[in-house]
Structures are given as C-alpha cells and as structure tokens.
Amino acid sequence: MKIGYGRISTTDQNHDLQTDALKAAGCEKIFLDTISGSKAKRPELGKLREQLRAGDTLAVWRLDRLGRSLRDLIDFMQWLNENKIGFISLQESIDTTTPAGKLTFHLFGAMAEFERNLIQERTHAGLAAARARGRKGGRAKALKPKQEKTLVKLYNAKEHTIKELCEMFSISKRTLYTYVQAGTP
C-alpha cells in the first residue's frame, strides 16, 4: 500500500497542494500534520508509523515535509529500511527502492541541513550585529525598575498572597518569581 504524509508549518497555510500530489501519486491513505518540521513529535507522523507495514511505500510531496535535520531523516530512513518500507519523494524524484534513489536521498538530505544551518548562521550574525549597535532583542520587561523594587518589597513583607501580587502588577506567577529571584532590592 502506498501511504502519503504531508505537513505544513502554520495554520495560515493549507495542505491542498500536497494532498492533491499524493492522491495523484496513488496514495490510498494520507496523514497530515500542521506543525514545524523541527519538532520531533508530530501526531500524524506517529499514527503513520503505526500504520506502515513491510512492503508499503511512504510518499511525501517534498523531502523537507518529512524532516529538516539530516540526522532525523537518516534515522527515519533507516527505520523504513529495517521494516522493509519503501520511500518516495515526489518533487525530488527519490525512490529508495533503487540504489540511485538511496544515494539521491542522502545528497538531498545533506543539502537541506546545509540550507537550514546557513539560515541559522545568518540569524545569529544579524542578532550579534544588532547587539553591537546597542539593540537588545526579546520581549520588553513587564515592569519598570521602580515597580520591580516595589514588587520585591511586597513579596518579602509576606503581607500579600502570590495571587494578589500577580493581580496587582498584572503579571504571571512565572514573571513574579523571575523578578524575585533576580533579587531587585
């Protein structure tokens, strides 16, 4: 049996393109996830793994729909191989039931990981450049310094419950404990 797997990263996208291609390729069942490819735990991929049997073929629209890390892809392919399950990637024309397909898979997997590493490298370089210019990334603090001091004093006085303090300052428990742990006098 040929079984398809599709994945999109956000709810702003839709599965139609992948679903249509997988149906045209002859997939009898299709499992669809809406989750980042960098996430190892994907609900529908887990269900798919339970369904696959020796002699089946897993089809994906593109290799990056299955995973972004070369290590994860290789591990998954090894699992498929150990369980005598074929693999087809429609866009890259990879068919692991042939020796040439196995080689092509490894080459495309290496290229996908290389591209991801380049993106991470550029992101880190951009953040470093921004910090060098005095810009700080991340979310703005919930409280101003004077409010922080007041919060810590009230916390240490033990006259109010944690819930009351959180409500007074419109912050979460986690934020409260972050300020308290920082020990702002």
Side-chain angles (χ1 to χ4, degrees), residues 19 23 28 57 77-78 81 115 124 132 148 162 166 182:
T19 304
K23 284 180 182 175
E28 297 173 42
T57 300
M77 292 306 295
Q78 191 170 17
N81 191 41
E115 180 182 11
H124 291 298
E148 285 181 46
I162 299 300
C166 290

Side-chain angles (χ1 to χ4, degrees), residues 144-160:
K144 293 181 171 39
K146 190 174 181 179
Q147 291 174 306
E148 285 181 46
K149 289 178 184 179
T150 304
L151 171 66
V152 173
K153 283 180 187 177
L154 289 172
Y155 175 84
N156 290 333
K158 298 181 182 180
E159 294 176 6
H160 299 280

Side-chain angles (χ1 to χ4, degrees), residues 2 52 55-60 63 66 73-90 92-109:
K2 192 180 282 186
L52 288 168
D56 287 346
T57 300
L58 169 61
V60 296
L63 190 57
L66 191 57
L73 288 171
I74 289 172
D75 289 346
F76 197 84
M77 292 306 295
Q78 191 170 17
W79 179 85
L80 290 173
N81 191 41
E82 288 169 1
N83 289 283
K84 297 178 178 35
I85 299 166
F87 175 77
I88 295 173
S89 176
L90 302 175
E92 290 90 0
S93 300
I94 298 171
D95 182 350
T96 63
T97 59
T98 68
K102 287 180 184 178
L103 173 64
T104 305
F105 164 76
H106 289 294
L107 291 174
F108 274 106

Side-chain angles (χ1 to χ4, degrees), residues 28-180:
E28 297 173 42
K29 289 184 181 178
I30 299 173
F31 292 82
L32 303 169
D33 269 321
T34 303
I35 193 167
S36 170
S38 63
K39 303 287 183 202
K41 302 251 184 206
R42 292 182 250 156
E44 292 300 308
L45 186 59
K47 291 176 188 175
L48 167 75
R49 285 179 78 139
E50 292 173 8
Q51 289 276 314
L52 288 168
R53 301 287 181 257
D56 287 346
T57 300
L58 169 61
V60 296
W61 178 67
R62 257 181 48 181
L63 190 57
D64 67 350
R65 301 297 85 197
L66 191 57
R68 293 224 174 120
S69 155
L70 180 58
R71 179 79 263 148
D72 290 344
L73 288 171
I74 289 172
D75 289 346
F76 197 84
M77 292 306 295
Q78 191 170 17
W79 179 85
L80 290 173
N81 191 41
E82 288 169 1
N83 289 283
K84 297 178 178 35
I85 299 166
F87 175 77
I88 295 173
S89 176
L90 302 175
Q91 290 296 301
E92 290 90 0
S93 300
I94 298 171
D95 182 350
T96 63
T97 59
T98 68
K102 287 180 184 178
L103 173 64
T104 305
F105 164 76
H106 289 294
L107 291 174
F108 274 106
M111 295 293 275
E113 185 172 8
F114 176 69
E115 180 182 11
R116 186 161 186 236
N117 288 339
L118 283 177
I119 291 168
Q120 284 180 330
E121 193 175 284
R122 285 193 298 262
T123 300
H124 291 298
L127 290 171
R131 280 192 291 276
R133 289 189 306 276
R135 296 184 64 194
K136 291 184 181 178
R139 184 179 296 191
K141 286 192 163 198
L143 302 177
K144 293 181 171 39
K146 190 174 181 179
Q147 291 174 306
E148 285 181 46
K149 289 178 184 179
T150 304
L151 171 66
V152 173
K153 283 180 187 177
L154 289 172
Y155 175 84
N156 290 333
K158 298 181 182 180
E159 294 176 6
H160 299 280
T161 66
I162 299 300
K163 185 177 180 182
E164 289 172 339
L165 291 172
C166 290
E167 287 173 1
M168 273 189 250
F169 289 91
S170 299
I171 58 174
S172 68
K173 283 183 185 179
R174 174 178 266 176
T175 302
L176 179 138
Y177 287 119
T178 299
Y179 284 124
V180 169

